[in-house]
Amino acid sequence: MQKKEEGTGKLWGGRFKQSASPIMERIGESVSFDQKLYKEDLEGSRAHAKMLHKIGILNAEELKQILEGLSQVESEIESGNFKFSSELEDIHMHIESRLTELKGEVGKKLHTARSRNDQVAQDTRLYVRNRIEEILDRLESLRKALYTRAGENVDTIIPGYTHLQVAQPVRASHFLLAYFWMFTRDAEFFRFAQESANLLVLGSGAMAGVNYQNDRDFLASELRTNGISPNSMDAVASRDHLLQFLFAATQTMLHASRFCEDIILYSSQEFGLIRLPDSLTTGSSIMPQKKNPDIAELIRGKSARVTGNLNHLIGLLKGLPLTYNRDLQEDKLAVFDAVETVLISLEGLEAMVSEMQFRPERGERSLKEGFATATDLADFLVGEKKIAFRTAHELVGRLVSECVERKENLFTVPEEVRIKISSHFSGEEYQKAVSLELSADKKASYGGTARSRQLEQLELAKKSLESSSKH
Ligand code: ARG
């Protein structure tokens, strides 16, 4: 251990006569979670050291020593040989302190023209920038899986719902692509948050700037940021980019959760529209017949954590005076948790998307029992028989009500019953008007569920995948 200031054992201990009480240490430490920032902290420190050399604060030998020391710290951390202790508070102190142990006095020069306030703000920005890249990769492969499964299921007809009541027949591709577009927008949202995080704040010092002619252009180019913060107070105090990251994470998890809700419902005995493979479900310890959609339920549950993380940061920032306040140490907990939760959820969702099987025979049953083509029959009266829509609606409504009374559906109800309601409800024409398959194809408006529109939509999805992989 390097020689510490007497009495306190802290790198900042000069003005202190008493050492920190155990509760100060326990409540103050963040290394138990911010050690996740070690790579970004090293990256920031390397850039900072090079900048100090460039402006003449470190000579070439000193820079070399510092860079060597930082590399050694990196390998110690990565091989699991690094000693973490709450006494040294956070990852920044750990790295600086170990550097000084390894390289002596020169290590103590690294913190020139830098504060932990700009340091941690920069590390977190780099971290978010890097992890969003992983999230974007995951979103991309989920979108690919949705695209592939949609292509395979253009001719699978399933019920579409409103109010969770059978509404109209749709192609399963349409259902899958609905989620494809949601995750496409999520990816755009993450890119926006990434862009916003990618700003140089290092060089702002504690909050007012620093007493050195630092070279922030150099730092920006070393750290590959897209801009430089123009105000040091804003730089150390603001966390907008983290809010944006958590908004994007929340939106993504809300989409994932809704999808999971559909999967949970559709795989139930009552709906029976999809089947999940054994490998992605669990059994019950007491009920031998059970096969539970746990992944979907867990993702639905995890979405609540991420909305909680967003609320955590909102609460943290509200009413916080300028500039840095120690409360901000807690921002990372929300961000780290959201990163891991989004990543694992997207992975779980993709596994289900890739392996779930539709059961069109069950879809057909619900569609028939749910009178899903009643609107089509009314539209047939309008289009072919020039009957006003309200009147057509009334006639079909009467037919449905007659079917319900007789425990029949539009396909089983005898013709003599139908023609008593309208002479048009007869023959081949009637059969075509209520057909499930034809119903879907009549929805040929742009963005509709007709086969031709599905092929067109698949083409758009393909283009969207191609353009996002170029990013
Ligand atoms: N661990 C702190 C954080 O995460 C680093 C900054 C501490 N700054 C300070 N002035 N105590 O926010």
Side-chain angles (χ1 to χ4, degrees):
M1 268 279 162
Q2 74 189 99
K3 189 175 173 314
K4 291 175 194 151
E5 261 69 25
E6 267 192 30
T8 73
K10 301 288 183 195
L11 292 183
W12 41 251
R15 61 104 65 217
F16 287 80
K17 294 204 170 62
Q18 286 181 333
S19 55
S21 85
I23 178 60
M24 181 62 251
E25 222 157 85
R26 267 170 47 232
I27 205 167
E29 74 82 24
S30 55
V31 73
S32 54
F33 54 91
D34 69 14
Q35 53 183 274
K36 270 188 193 291
L37 294 176
Y38 83 92
K39 261 210 176 308
E40 288 75 14
D41 197 69
L42 288 164
E43 195 184 346
S45 290
R46 284 186 184 111
H48 183 67
K50 289 181 196 162
M51 191 278 289
L52 291 178
H53 168 57
K54 189 157 183 280
I55 66 169
I57 291 173
L58 296 177
N59 65 35
E61 179 54 28
E62 288 172 325
L63 174 63
K64 183 170 162 272
Q65 290 298 315
I66 287 180
L67 294 179
E68 260 178 36
L70 292 173
S71 295
Q72 180 161 345
V73 170
E74 183 163 27
S75 45
E76 286 179 6
I77 295 177
E78 287 177 355
S79 61
N81 293 325
F82 192 88
K83 197 175 154 294
F84 292 104
S85 79
S86 56
E87 203 189 316
L88 282 170
E89 287 185 33
D90 55 28
I91 187 65
H92 325 293
M93 298 287 217
H94 275 75
I95 291 179
E96 187 188 328
S97 154
R98 180 67 185 142
L99 173 71
T100 306
E101 261 178 19
L102 290 167
K103 296 291 178 182
E105 282 300 296
V106 65
K108 296 188 181 175
K109 293 194 174 180
L110 177 61
H111 210 55
T112 316
R114 183 174 78 169
S115 154
R116 273 187 297 159
N117 299 351
D118 59 346
Q119 188 179 357
V120 72
Q122 191 66 61
D123 290 1
T124 312
R125 283 176 180 273
L126 297 177
Y127 181 86
V128 166
R129 179 182 83 183
N130 295 341
R131 302 303 302 269
I132 287 181
E133 212 48 44
E134 285 173 50
I135 292 175
L136 287 173
D137 286 348
R138 274 260 154 252
L139 276 170
E140 170 114 345
S141 73
L142 172 60
R143 288 167 67 235
K144 278 189 185 140
L146 284 164
Y147 168 77
T148 306
R149 298 310 311 277
E152 292 164 11
N153 285 286
V154 172
D155 292 316
T156 310
I157 307 282
I158 57 168
Y161 298 87
T162 62
H163 313 270
L164 202 56
Q165 309 286 324
V166 172
Q168 295 176 323
V170 291
R171 296 179 176 278
S173 50
H174 206 40
F175 167 79
L176 293 168
L177 290 174
Y179 284 106
F180 176 93
W181 297 117
M182 291 182 228
F183 292 118
T184 303
R185 292 193 296 276
D186 296 338
E188 281 161 16
F189 206 165
F190 273 118
R191 272 191 210 102
F192 170 75
Q194 188 179 41
E195 192 55 33
S196 151
N198 197 15
L199 181 76
L200 184 86
V201 291
L202 192 63
S204 300
M207 61 106 189
V210 296
N211 298 333
Y212 300 85
Q213 286 298 318
N214 60 1
D215 187 340
R216 299 191 71 207
D217 288 307
F218 176 82
L219 287 173
S221 98
E222 282 292 302
L223 296 175
R224 304 176 318 282
T225 64
N226 281 340
I228 301 179
S229 59
N231 181 309
S232 58
M233 295 177 82
D234 180 31
V236 298
S238 294
R239 297 294 184 267
D240 302 5
H241 55 294
L242 300 185
L243 276 176
Q244 285 151 12
F245 166 74
L246 289 171
F247 281 130
T250 296
Q251 180 176 293
T252 304
M253 289 303 292
L254 294 183
H255 291 151
S257 182
R258 290 184 76 169
F259 198 173
C260 287
E261 177 65 16
D262 280 336
I263 293 174
I264 293 162
L265 288 170
Y266 292 5
S267 64
S268 70
Q269 179 63 37
E270 286 69 15
F271 281 74
L273 296 176
I274 59 172
R275 193 180 274 126
L276 291 172
D278 287 359
S279 60
L280 298 178
T281 52
T282 60
S284 154
S285 56
I286 174 171
M287 297 168 281
Q289 83 284 11
K290 293 281 289 223
K291 191 171 145 187
N292 299 326
D294 288 29
I295 294 186
E297 293 171 279
L298 286 163
I299 295 172
R300 191 177 55 181
K302 283 175 189 297
S303 71
R305 264 187 37 212
V306 176
T307 65
N309 290 329
L310 172 60
N311 271 307
H312 164 143
L313 190 64
I314 291 172
L316 192 65
L317 295 172
K318 182 186 173 300
L320 206 62
L322 287 188
T323 54
Y324 178 86
N325 296 272
R326 193 63 181 272
D327 317 39
L328 289 172
Q329 176 161 294
E330 304 262 324
D331 62 357
K332 287 168 282 301
L333 288 163
V335 171
F336 293 162
D337 188 53
V339 168
E340 305 307 336
T341 308
V342 168
L343 284 171
I344 197 166
S345 300
L346 293 177
E347 189 178 343
L349 197 51
E350 184 186 333
M352 291 189 294
V353 168
S354 305
E355 299 209 40
M356 68 191 199
Q357 292 303 332
F358 286 96
R359 301 172 70 193
E361 71 291 356
R362 296 289 304 259
E364 189 179 333
R365 206 169 85 189
S366 305
L367 285 165
K368 288 182 169 169
E369 286 172 2
F371 302 99
T373 45
T375 316
D376 300 289
L377 184 57
D379 284 336
F380 152 76
L381 295 177
V382 173
E384 306 290 320
K385 307 295 169 189
K386 305 298 167 218
I387 294 177
F389 183 74
R390 268 297 146 241
T391 312
H393 188 287
E394 165 74 23
L395 291 170
V396 177
R398 275 172 36 208
L399 178 60
V400 168
S401 153
E402 190 66 33
C403 289
V404 171
E405 242 162 64
R406 295 170 165 270
K407 299 197 169 49
E408 303 278 2
N409 62 46
L410 295 175
F411 297 85
T412 56
V413 60
E415 184 158 273
E416 63 270 22
V417 176
R418 288 190 249 132
I419 55 178
K420 272 192 211 139
I421 298 170
S422 163
S423 58
H424 301 306
F425 290 161
S426 63
E428 176 82 350
E429 262 185 337
Y430 172 84
Q431 295 305 336
K432 278 169 87 175
V434 297
S435 145
L436 300 176
E437 177 98 358
L438 292 180
S439 162
D441 282 340
K442 281 178 235 156
K443 308 293 180 302
S445 49
Y446 181 78
T449 201
R451 191 168 206 285
S452 58
R453 294 299 189 184
Q454 293 305 291
L455 300 181
E456 177 181 58
Q457 202 184 141
L458 280 164
E459 203 46 45
L460 286 175
K462 189 169 149 200
K463 288 216 178 79
S464 159
L465 281 170
E466 282 162 7
S467 79
S468 60
S469 67
K470 277 184 220 126
H471 266 83

